Every structure is written in structure tokens, then in C-alpha cells.
Amino acid sequence: MSESKYEKANRFVVNALVRCPQKYNVDDGSLAVLDRINKKIKGNNNFATSWTNKKGALNKGRRFPKTSLAGLARPIRNVLAQQYYWDCDMENASFTAIANVIAGCKWQEHFPAIMSYHANRESTLDAMRQKTKTTRDNAKKAYISALFGGDISNWNFPALKDIGAEAKDLFLRLTTMGNKDMNKITTMFEREALENVLQVITNLGYSYGATMNDGVFIEKHPTKSPQDIIAEINKKYRALTGDIHPIPITFHFKEFKEILELPQEVYDAKNYGSDPE
């Protein structure tokens, strides 16, 4: 399945990054994508791309474009996206996927720590952050690592260790049922959710850009806020998927925080061929 789309990026910023990759710490993979974007841009921002779904068991949801913001390192992707897009992100995607597996099998009583984290993520992360003096992002990464059998030996936090122990038990149960890869289960869940939300976004009349594993960029609207639009999306998404999963995924507006720092003169460039130096 392939569909022709367009995305947006500031042509002057793209040109600066292509011409001075070392100055702006552009990695080789991103530079190759930026070079293709730079050659395709029409006017000041639009460039065409063809998005293809990969074949096989995961053939849904995530688009895999050769030329797209999705192919860039996050700080570079965000610096280009922030002018034209809002980030529509899945809330607690991995744990929601696993919670659905548990609920679908009626195993809730066997995995209280996992289900509690899913239902009370913010208070759980806050408790860990205060106890261990870490950041919310590090605490979140530790819980995801525990869920997928990662090393959490350096963390002295009982609730986290409970997640790790339950995850091992869950893996054994799933293995006996023929499911040997928890990561594949969550990936399939995320891509199914993404496929559905792309349909919702299109049906609501909004345009979307790059698709990531657990989210999508929505083109900015001239009169509506991102919160209003995502509230509409959540309402329609629940109506569409209410009978599919006992615990529906929720989408939220995510600020662009990890952004490549560029000097103001790059944004102020007026001529396509201007030298960013």
C-alpha cells in the first residue's frame, strides 16, 4: 500500500542544514534525508513524499517514507516541524498495549503492579522521582525497561522491581500461548492505533505529516488549538475503536522540547541560495 502525500518544512532552514551539516551537528542519516527534502521543496515549504506500509504482520499504521520528517533525528525533525505541525502523541502506549493484553486474558489480579502503573502513571513516576532524585524522563525509561526485561539493578525502588518481576511472569504466560515477543505485541498495538487515528484525522478534515511509532504530526490549524483538535480526535477515536480494545489508547498534545538550536539568522534567511555563515 502506497499513498502520495506532502509534508512541510522551512526551505531556508533545510538549506542551511544541508550546506553546513558539521556546524549544526547533522548526522549522516539525517543529512541524506535533508538533501532529498531540499531538492523536492516547492515554494517555501511543501515537499512531496510517497509513504509505503511495510509488508508482513506489521503491515498497518506506520508509514515508511524515503523522504519525510520521520526519517530525521528527533532534534532536527522537531526544529523543522515546530513551524507547521503539532505533535499528536499516544499516551503511555507500551503499558496501554500490555494492559489490554492482560485485560483481554482476564489476568488483572495476577499483574497488579503493571495495571497500577498504567492507571496511575504520573503519581508513580512522581514517587520514584522524589525517592531516587531522578528526572521524570529517566523514571519513565526505567519503567519501560522493566516491562521489556531490561536491566534495572541500579534502581532501588520496590515498585519498579515489582514491574520487572510481573513482566517476566507475563512473558512466560504469553510464551505458552505462542506469543514470544512482547515488543512485537506492543508494536502491533501501536500501529493499529496509528492506522485508526490517521483515519480519524482524515475524516475530521485535518492534514497530518510524519508518522512515528507512537504518534503523528498534525498540521497547525488557523483557528483551533491543538488541545481542541486532539479532544475531537480522542472522541472520534473512542467511537471508532470502542469494541476493539477494553482499554482504549488516548492521544495528547506533546510540546516540542528536544529541538536543534539554530542561530536566528538561519530563520531570517530570505534567499534560497544565501550562505548561512
Side-chain angles (χ1 to χ4, degrees), residues 17-77:
L17 296 176
V18 169
R19 295 182 61 159
C20 301
Q22 293 181 331
K23 177 179 177 66
Y24 301 123
N25 297 315
V26 177
D27 63 281
D28 290 342
S30 294
L31 180 59
V33 177
L34 286 167
D35 186 53
R36 291 195 293 270
I37 292 174
N38 197 37
K39 292 173 180 175
K40 285 190 171 187
I41 285 184
K42 305 297 182 183
N44 287 338
N45 52 47
N46 284 354
F47 63 94
T49 181
S50 180
W51 296 0
T52 303
N53 284 349
K54 285 187 175 180
K55 295 181 179 179
L58 304 181
N59 184 21
K60 60 173 59 180
R62 178 79 191 270
R63 273 56 173 159
F64 293 86
K66 183 178 180 182
T67 305
S68 168
L69 299 178
L72 301 171
R74 183 177 296 169
I76 300 172
R77 177 171 70 232

Short mmCIF file of all heavy atoms in Angstrom, two decimals, residues 17-77:
data_model
loop_
_atom_site.label_atom_id
_atom_site.label_comp_id
_atom_site.label_asym_id
_atom_site.label_seq_id
_atom_site.Cartn_x
_atom_site.Cartn_y
_atom_site.Cartn_z
N LEU A 17 20.94 23.58 6.90
CA LEU A 17 21.41 22.33 7.49
C LEU A 17 22.15 21.47 6.46
O LEU A 17 23.13 20.81 6.79
CB LEU A 17 20.22 21.54 8.05
CG LEU A 17 19.47 22.21 9.21
CD1 LEU A 17 18.26 21.36 9.61
CD2 LEU A 17 20.37 22.43 10.41
N VAL A 18 21.68 21.50 5.22
CA VAL A 18 22.34 20.73 4.16
C VAL A 18 23.70 21.31 3.83
O VAL A 18 24.67 20.58 3.61
CB VAL A 18 21.45 20.67 2.90
CG1 VAL A 18 22.22 20.11 1.70
CG2 VAL A 18 20.21 19.83 3.16
N ARG A 19 23.80 22.63 3.82
CA ARG A 19 25.04 23.28 3.42
C ARG A 19 26.09 23.27 4.53
O ARG A 19 27.29 23.28 4.24
CB ARG A 19 24.75 24.72 2.99
CG ARG A 19 23.90 24.78 1.73
CD ARG A 19 23.66 26.20 1.28
NE ARG A 19 24.90 26.87 0.95
CZ ARG A 19 24.97 27.95 0.17
NH1 ARG A 19 23.88 28.45 -0.36
NH2 ARG A 19 26.12 28.52 -0.08
N CYS A 20 25.64 23.27 5.79
CA CYS A 20 26.58 23.32 6.91
C CYS A 20 26.28 22.23 7.94
O CYS A 20 25.99 22.53 9.10
CB CYS A 20 26.53 24.69 7.59
SG CYS A 20 26.91 26.06 6.49
N PRO A 21 26.33 20.95 7.53
CA PRO A 21 25.95 19.88 8.45
C PRO A 21 26.85 19.77 9.68
O PRO A 21 26.37 19.47 10.78
CB PRO A 21 26.04 18.61 7.59
CG PRO A 21 26.96 18.98 6.47
CD PRO A 21 26.73 20.43 6.20
N GLN A 22 28.15 20.02 9.51
CA GLN A 22 29.06 19.91 10.66
C GLN A 22 28.82 21.03 11.66
O GLN A 22 28.86 20.81 12.87
CB GLN A 22 30.50 19.91 10.18
CG GLN A 22 30.89 18.67 9.38
CD GLN A 22 32.33 18.67 8.93
OE1 GLN A 22 32.93 19.72 8.73
NE2 GLN A 22 32.90 17.47 8.77
N LYS A 23 28.55 22.21 11.15
CA LYS A 23 28.29 23.35 12.03
C LYS A 23 27.09 23.10 12.92
O LYS A 23 27.07 23.48 14.09
CB LYS A 23 28.06 24.61 11.19
CG LYS A 23 27.72 25.87 11.99
CD LYS A 23 27.52 27.05 11.07
CE LYS A 23 27.10 28.29 11.86
NZ LYS A 23 28.16 28.77 12.76
N TYR A 24 26.07 22.42 12.37
CA TYR A 24 24.82 22.21 13.12
C TYR A 24 24.67 20.77 13.62
O TYR A 24 23.59 20.37 14.01
CB TYR A 24 23.63 22.60 12.24
CG TYR A 24 23.71 24.05 11.80
CD1 TYR A 24 23.70 24.39 10.45
CD2 TYR A 24 23.81 25.07 12.72
CE1 TYR A 24 23.78 25.71 10.05
CE2 TYR A 24 23.90 26.40 12.33
CZ TYR A 24 23.88 26.71 10.99
OH TYR A 24 23.97 28.02 10.59
N ASN A 25 25.78 19.99 13.58
CA ASN A 25 25.79 18.62 14.11
C ASN A 25 24.70 17.74 13.49
O ASN A 25 23.97 17.03 14.20
CB ASN A 25 25.63 18.65 15.63
CG ASN A 25 26.77 19.36 16.33
OD1 ASN A 25 27.93 19.13 16.01
ND2 ASN A 25 26.44 20.23 17.27
N VAL A 26 24.60 17.78 12.18
CA VAL A 26 23.65 16.94 11.46
C VAL A 26 24.28 15.58 11.20
O VAL A 26 25.35 15.50 10.59
CB VAL A 26 23.23 17.60 10.13
CG1 VAL A 26 22.29 16.68 9.36
CG2 VAL A 26 22.58 18.94 10.39
N ASP A 27 23.66 14.52 11.67
CA ASP A 27 24.19 13.17 11.44
C ASP A 27 24.03 12.77 9.98
O ASP A 27 23.21 13.34 9.24
CB ASP A 27 23.49 12.16 12.35
CG ASP A 27 22.00 12.07 12.06
OD1 ASP A 27 21.25 12.95 12.51
OD2 ASP A 27 21.59 11.12 11.35
N ASP A 28 24.79 11.76 9.56
CA ASP A 28 24.81 11.37 8.15
C ASP A 28 23.45 10.89 7.66
O ASP A 28 23.04 11.18 6.53
CB ASP A 28 25.86 10.27 7.93
CG ASP A 28 27.28 10.78 8.08
OD1 ASP A 28 27.47 12.01 8.01
OD2 ASP A 28 28.20 9.95 8.26
N GLY A 29 22.75 10.12 8.52
CA GLY A 29 21.43 9.63 8.11
C GLY A 29 20.45 10.75 7.87
O GLY A 29 19.71 10.75 6.88
N SER A 30 20.45 11.73 8.78
CA SER A 30 19.55 12.87 8.62
C SER A 30 19.95 13.72 7.42
O SER A 30 19.09 14.26 6.72
CB SER A 30 19.55 13.73 9.89
OG SER A 30 19.00 13.03 10.99
N LEU A 31 21.26 13.84 7.18
CA LEU A 31 21.73 14.66 6.07
C LEU A 31 21.23 14.11 4.73
O LEU A 31 20.83 14.87 3.85
CB LEU A 31 23.26 14.72 6.07
CG LEU A 31 23.90 15.54 4.94
CD1 LEU A 31 23.41 16.99 4.99
CD2 LEU A 31 25.42 15.48 5.04
N ALA A 32 21.22 12.79 4.59
CA ALA A 32 20.73 12.18 3.34
C ALA A 32 19.25 12.51 3.12
O ALA A 32 18.83 12.82 2.00
CB ALA A 32 20.94 10.67 3.38
N VAL A 33 18.46 12.45 4.20
CA VAL A 33 17.03 12.78 4.10
C VAL A 33 16.85 14.27 3.81
O VAL A 33 16.04 14.67 2.97
CB VAL A 33 16.28 12.38 5.38
CG1 VAL A 33 14.82 12.79 5.30
CG2 VAL A 33 16.39 10.88 5.61
N LEU A 34 17.60 15.12 4.52
CA LEU A 34 17.51 16.57 4.31
C LEU A 34 17.87 16.95 2.88
O LEU A 34 17.25 17.85 2.30
CB LEU A 34 18.43 17.29 5.29
CG LEU A 34 17.98 17.34 6.74
CD1 LEU A 34 19.13 17.81 7.63
CD2 LEU A 34 16.78 18.27 6.90
N ASP A 35 18.85 16.26 2.32
CA ASP A 35 19.26 16.55 0.94
C ASP A 35 18.12 16.25 -0.02
O ASP A 35 17.85 17.02 -0.96
CB ASP A 35 20.50 15.74 0.59
CG ASP A 35 21.07 16.12 -0.78
OD1 ASP A 35 21.32 17.32 -1.01
OD2 ASP A 35 21.26 15.22 -1.62
N ARG A 36 17.41 15.14 0.20
CA ARG A 36 16.26 14.81 -0.66
C ARG A 36 15.13 15.82 -0.47
O ARG A 36 14.48 16.24 -1.43
CB ARG A 36 15.78 13.39 -0.37
CG ARG A 36 16.74 12.30 -0.80
CD ARG A 36 16.08 10.94 -0.82
NE ARG A 36 15.72 10.48 0.50
CZ ARG A 36 16.51 9.77 1.29
NH1 ARG A 36 17.73 9.45 0.89
NH2 ARG A 36 16.09 9.36 2.48
N ILE A 37 14.87 16.20 0.79
CA ILE A 37 13.84 17.21 1.06
C ILE A 37 14.21 18.52 0.38
O ILE A 37 13.36 19.17 -0.25
CB ILE A 37 13.67 17.42 2.58
CG1 ILE A 37 13.07 16.18 3.23
CG2 ILE A 37 12.79 18.65 2.85
CD1 ILE A 37 13.00 16.25 4.74
N ASN A 38 15.46 18.90 0.48
CA ASN A 38 15.94 20.16 -0.10
C ASN A 38 15.71 20.22 -1.60
O ASN A 38 15.35 21.26 -2.16
CB ASN A 38 17.43 20.32 0.22
CG ASN A 38 17.92 21.74 0.04
OD1 ASN A 38 17.21 22.70 0.33
ND2 ASN A 38 19.15 21.89 -0.44
N LYS A 39 15.87 19.09 -2.26
CA LYS A 39 15.70 19.03 -3.71
C LYS A 39 14.23 19.00 -4.12
O LYS A 39 13.88 19.36 -5.24
CB LYS A 39 16.42 17.81 -4.27
CG LYS A 39 17.94 17.90 -4.16
CD LYS A 39 18.61 16.60 -4.58
CE LYS A 39 20.13 16.70 -4.47
NZ LYS A 39 20.80 15.41 -4.76
N LYS A 40 13.35 18.56 -3.19
CA LYS A 40 11.93 18.40 -3.52
C LYS A 40 11.07 19.59 -3.14
O LYS A 40 9.93 19.69 -3.60
CB LYS A 40 11.37 17.15 -2.83
CG LYS A 40 11.80 15.84 -3.48
CD LYS A 40 10.99 14.69 -2.88
CE LYS A 40 11.21 13.41 -3.65
NZ LYS A 40 10.31 12.33 -3.19
N ILE A 41 11.57 20.46 -2.29
CA ILE A 41 10.73 21.55 -1.79
C ILE A 41 10.26 22.46 -2.91
O ILE A 41 11.06 22.91 -3.74
CB ILE A 41 11.46 22.36 -0.71
CG1 ILE A 41 11.51 21.59 0.61
CG2 ILE A 41 10.77 23.70 -0.46
CD1 ILE A 41 12.13 22.34 1.76
N LYS A 42 8.97 22.72 -2.92
CA LYS A 42 8.36 23.66 -3.86
C LYS A 42 7.92 24.89 -3.08
O LYS A 42 7.34 24.77 -2.01
CB LYS A 42 7.16 23.03 -4.57
CG LYS A 42 7.48 21.71 -5.28
CD LYS A 42 8.49 21.90 -6.39
CE LYS A 42 8.75 20.58 -7.12
NZ LYS A 42 9.78 20.72 -8.17
N GLY A 43 8.16 26.06 -3.64
CA GLY A 43 7.84 27.28 -2.90
C GLY A 43 8.75 27.38 -1.69
O GLY A 43 9.93 27.08 -1.76
N ASN A 44 8.17 27.75 -0.55
CA ASN A 44 8.98 27.90 0.65
C ASN A 44 8.85 26.75 1.64
O ASN A 44 9.55 26.71 2.64
CB ASN A 44 8.63 29.21 1.38
CG ASN A 44 9.16 30.42 0.63
OD1 ASN A 44 10.08 30.31 -0.16
ND2 ASN A 44 8.56 31.57 0.89
N ASN A 45 7.92 25.80 1.39
CA ASN A 45 7.76 24.78 2.42
C ASN A 45 7.27 23.40 1.98
O ASN A 45 7.56 22.42 2.65
CB ASN A 45 6.83 25.29 3.53
CG ASN A 45 5.51 25.82 3.00
OD1 ASN A 45 4.86 25.18 2.19
ND2 ASN A 45 5.11 27.00 3.46
N ASN A 46 6.54 23.25 0.91
CA ASN A 46 5.93 21.95 0.58
C ASN A 46 6.91 21.02 -0.14
O ASN A 46 7.61 21.44 -1.06
CB ASN A 46 4.71 22.14 -0.32
CG ASN A 46 3.50 22.64 0.45
OD1 ASN A 46 3.54 22.76 1.66
ND2 ASN A 46 2.45 22.94 -0.27
N PHE A 47 6.91 19.76 0.28
CA PHE A 47 7.66 18.77 -0.50
C PHE A 47 6.86 17.47 -0.55
O PHE A 47 6.16 17.10 0.40
CB PHE A 47 9.06 18.52 0.08
CG PHE A 47 9.09 17.93 1.46
CD1 PHE A 47 9.18 16.56 1.66
CD2 PHE A 47 9.07 18.75 2.58
CE1 PHE A 47 9.22 16.02 2.94
CE2 PHE A 47 9.11 18.23 3.86
CZ PHE A 47 9.19 16.86 4.05
N ALA A 48 6.94 16.81 -1.68
CA ALA A 48 6.17 15.58 -1.90
C ALA A 48 6.93 14.38 -1.37
O ALA A 48 8.15 14.34 -1.35
CB ALA A 48 5.91 15.41 -3.39
N THR A 49 6.17 13.39 -0.93
CA THR A 49 6.76 12.14 -0.49
C THR A 49 5.78 11.01 -0.74
O THR A 49 4.57 11.24 -0.81
CB THR A 49 7.12 12.19 1.00
OG1 THR A 49 7.73 10.95 1.38
CG2 THR A 49 5.90 12.41 1.88
N SER A 50 6.28 9.81 -0.90
CA SER A 50 5.43 8.64 -1.06
C SER A 50 5.62 7.74 0.15
O SER A 50 6.74 7.34 0.46
CB SER A 50 5.81 7.88 -2.34
OG SER A 50 5.00 6.74 -2.51
N TRP A 51 4.54 7.45 0.84
CA TRP A 51 4.60 6.66 2.06
C TRP A 51 4.15 5.24 1.77
O TRP A 51 3.08 5.01 1.20
CB TRP A 51 3.71 7.25 3.14
CG TRP A 51 4.15 8.61 3.59
CD1 TRP A 51 5.21 9.33 3.14
CD2 TRP A 51 3.52 9.40 4.59
NE1 TRP A 51 5.29 10.53 3.78
CE2 TRP A 51 4.26 10.60 4.68
CE3 TRP A 51 2.41 9.23 5.40
CZ2 TRP A 51 3.92 11.61 5.57
CZ3 TRP A 51 2.09 10.24 6.29
CH2 TRP A 51 2.84 11.41 6.37
N THR A 52 4.95 4.27 2.17
CA THR A 52 4.64 2.87 1.92
C THR A 52 4.55 2.10 3.22
O THR A 52 5.40 2.25 4.09
CB THR A 52 5.73 2.23 1.03
OG1 THR A 52 5.84 2.98 -0.17
CG2 THR A 52 5.39 0.79 0.70
N ASN A 53 3.53 1.27 3.37
CA ASN A 53 3.44 0.38 4.52
C ASN A 53 4.27 -0.87 4.24
O ASN A 53 4.17 -1.46 3.16
CB ASN A 53 1.99 -0.05 4.76
CG ASN A 53 1.17 1.04 5.41
OD1 ASN A 53 1.72 2.04 5.86
ND2 ASN A 53 -0.13 0.86 5.45
N LYS A 54 5.09 -1.28 5.20
CA LYS A 54 5.89 -2.47 5.02
C LYS A 54 5.01 -3.72 4.98
O LYS A 54 3.97 -3.77 5.61
CB LYS A 54 6.92 -2.60 6.14
CG LYS A 54 8.09 -1.63 6.00
CD LYS A 54 9.16 -1.93 7.04
CE LYS A 54 10.37 -1.03 6.82
NZ LYS A 54 11.43 -1.29 7.83
N LYS A 55 5.47 -4.73 4.27
CA LYS A 55 4.73 -5.97 4.16
C LYS A 55 4.92 -6.81 5.42
O LYS A 55 5.87 -6.65 6.16
CB LYS A 55 5.19 -6.75 2.94
CG LYS A 55 4.89 -6.07 1.61
CD LYS A 55 5.36 -6.90 0.45
CE LYS A 55 5.04 -6.22 -0.88
NZ LYS A 55 5.50 -7.01 -2.03
N GLY A 56 3.99 -7.73 5.65
CA GLY A 56 4.13 -8.65 6.76
C GLY A 56 3.13 -8.40 7.87
O GLY A 56 2.14 -7.70 7.70
N ALA A 57 3.42 -8.98 9.03
CA ALA A 57 2.48 -8.95 10.15
C ALA A 57 2.22 -7.54 10.66
O ALA A 57 1.19 -7.27 11.26
CB ALA A 57 3.01 -9.82 11.28
N LEU A 58 3.16 -6.63 10.45
CA LEU A 58 3.02 -5.26 10.97
C LEU A 58 2.59 -4.31 9.86
O LEU A 58 2.86 -3.11 9.92
CB LEU A 58 4.34 -4.80 11.59
CG LEU A 58 4.88 -5.70 12.71
CD1 LEU A 58 6.17 -5.12 13.27
CD2 LEU A 58 3.87 -5.89 13.82
N ASN A 59 1.94 -4.84 8.84
CA ASN A 59 1.59 -4.03 7.67
C ASN A 59 0.38 -3.15 7.93
O ASN A 59 -0.68 -3.32 7.35
CB ASN A 59 1.32 -4.96 6.47
CG ASN A 59 1.06 -4.16 5.21
OD1 ASN A 59 1.43 -3.00 5.12
ND2 ASN A 59 0.41 -4.78 4.25
N LYS A 60 0.54 -2.19 8.82
CA LYS A 60 -0.51 -1.21 9.06
C LYS A 60 0.08 -0.07 9.89
O LYS A 60 1.11 -0.20 10.52
CB LYS A 60 -1.69 -1.82 9.79
CG LYS A 60 -1.39 -2.41 11.16
CD LYS A 60 -2.63 -2.85 11.91
CE LYS A 60 -3.41 -3.89 11.15
NZ LYS A 60 -4.63 -4.33 11.85
N GLY A 61 -0.59 1.05 9.86
CA GLY A 61 -0.23 2.15 10.75
C GLY A 61 0.95 2.96 10.31
O GLY A 61 0.80 3.96 9.61
N ARG A 62 2.13 2.56 10.70
CA ARG A 62 3.33 3.34 10.44
C ARG A 62 3.63 3.41 8.96
O ARG A 62 3.69 2.40 8.27
CB ARG A 62 4.53 2.74 11.18
CG ARG A 62 5.85 3.48 10.93
CD ARG A 62 5.95 4.73 11.76
NE ARG A 62 7.07 5.56 11.35
CZ ARG A 62 8.31 5.47 11.85
NH1 ARG A 62 8.57 4.57 12.78
NH2 ARG A 62 9.26 6.27 11.45
N ARG A 63 3.81 4.65 8.46
CA ARG A 63 4.25 4.84 7.08
C ARG A 63 5.78 4.83 7.07
O ARG A 63 6.41 5.29 8.00
CB ARG A 63 3.74 6.16 6.53
CG ARG A 63 2.35 6.16 5.91
CD ARG A 63 1.27 5.64 6.80
NE ARG A 63 -0.06 5.82 6.18
CZ ARG A 63 -1.11 5.13 6.53
NH1 ARG A 63 -1.02 4.22 7.46
NH2 ARG A 63 -2.27 5.35 5.95
N PHE A 64 6.36 4.30 6.02
CA PHE A 64 7.81 4.22 5.93
C PHE A 64 8.28 4.97 4.68
O PHE A 64 8.50 4.38 3.63
CB PHE A 64 8.26 2.76 5.89
CG PHE A 64 7.99 2.03 7.18
CD1 PHE A 64 6.77 1.43 7.40
CD2 PHE A 64 8.96 1.97 8.17
CE1 PHE A 64 6.52 0.77 8.60
CE2 PHE A 64 8.72 1.32 9.36
CZ PHE A 64 7.50 0.71 9.58
N PRO A 65 8.42 6.27 4.79
CA PRO A 65 8.79 7.08 3.63
C PRO A 65 10.30 7.17 3.46
O PRO A 65 11.07 7.11 4.41
CB PRO A 65 8.22 8.45 3.99
CG PRO A 65 8.32 8.49 5.48
CD PRO A 65 8.13 7.09 5.97
N LYS A 66 10.71 7.34 2.24
CA LYS A 66 12.12 7.58 1.95
C LYS A 66 12.47 9.03 2.21
O LYS A 66 13.58 9.35 2.66
CB LYS A 66 12.43 7.22 0.48
CG LYS A 66 13.90 7.36 0.11
CD LYS A 66 14.12 6.95 -1.34
CE LYS A 66 15.60 7.09 -1.71
NZ LYS A 66 15.84 6.73 -3.13
N THR A 67 11.53 9.91 1.97
CA THR A 67 11.74 11.34 2.16
C THR A 67 10.64 11.87 3.07
O THR A 67 9.50 12.03 2.65
CB THR A 67 11.70 12.08 0.81
OG1 THR A 67 12.65 11.49 -0.08
CG2 THR A 67 12.01 13.56 0.99
N SER A 68 10.97 12.13 4.32
CA SER A 68 9.97 12.57 5.29
C SER A 68 10.66 13.09 6.54
O SER A 68 11.78 12.69 6.86
CB SER A 68 9.05 11.40 5.68
OG SER A 68 8.26 11.72 6.79
N LEU A 69 9.98 13.97 7.27
CA LEU A 69 10.49 14.41 8.55
C LEU A 69 10.69 13.23 9.50
O LEU A 69 11.54 13.27 10.39
CB LEU A 69 9.52 15.42 9.18
CG LEU A 69 9.27 16.72 8.41
CD1 LEU A 69 8.25 17.58 9.15
CD2 LEU A 69 10.57 17.49 8.20
N ALA A 70 9.91 12.17 9.31
CA ALA A 70 10.01 10.99 10.18
C ALA A 70 11.37 10.32 10.09
O ALA A 70 11.76 9.60 11.00
CB ALA A 70 8.92 9.99 9.82
N GLY A 71 12.10 10.57 9.00
CA GLY A 71 13.40 9.94 8.83
C GLY A 71 14.55 10.72 9.45
O GLY A 71 15.71 10.31 9.31
N LEU A 72 14.25 11.81 10.13
CA LEU A 72 15.29 12.66 10.72
C LEU A 72 15.48 12.37 12.20
O LEU A 72 14.56 11.90 12.88
CB LEU A 72 14.91 14.13 10.54
CG LEU A 72 14.71 14.61 9.10
CD1 LEU A 72 14.11 16.01 9.10
CD2 LEU A 72 16.04 14.60 8.34
N ALA A 73 16.67 12.64 12.71
CA ALA A 73 16.90 12.58 14.14
C ALA A 73 15.93 13.54 14.84
O ALA A 73 15.59 14.60 14.30
CB ALA A 73 18.34 12.94 14.46
N ARG A 74 15.49 13.19 16.05
CA ARG A 74 14.42 13.94 16.70
C ARG A 74 14.68 15.45 16.81
O ARG A 74 13.78 16.23 16.49
CB ARG A 74 14.15 13.36 18.09
CG ARG A 74 13.00 14.06 18.81
CD ARG A 74 12.73 13.41 20.14
NE ARG A 74 12.28 12.04 19.97
CZ ARG A 74 12.18 11.17 20.97
NH1 ARG A 74 12.52 11.52 22.20
NH2 ARG A 74 11.74 9.94 20.74
N PRO A 75 15.85 15.90 17.25
CA PRO A 75 16.04 17.36 17.37
C PRO A 75 15.91 18.08 16.03
O PRO A 75 15.39 19.20 15.97
CB PRO A 75 17.47 17.49 17.93
CG PRO A 75 17.76 16.18 18.57
CD PRO A 75 17.03 15.16 17.73
N ILE A 76 16.37 17.44 14.95
CA ILE A 76 16.28 18.04 13.62
C ILE A 76 14.83 17.99 13.14
O ILE A 76 14.31 18.97 12.58
CB ILE A 76 17.21 17.30 12.64
CG1 ILE A 76 18.66 17.41 13.13
CG2 ILE A 76 17.07 17.87 11.23
CD1 ILE A 76 19.63 16.56 12.34
N ARG A 77 14.18 16.86 13.34
CA ARG A 77 12.77 16.73 12.96
C ARG A 77 11.93 17.79 13.65
O ARG A 77 11.09 18.45 13.04
CB ARG A 77 12.28 15.33 13.34
CG ARG A 77 10.81 15.09 13.06
CD ARG A 77 10.45 13.63 13.26
NE ARG A 77 10.47 13.22 14.65
CZ ARG A 77 11.14 12.17 15.11
NH1 ARG A 77 11.89 11.44 14.31
NH2 ARG A 77 11.08 11.84 16.38
#
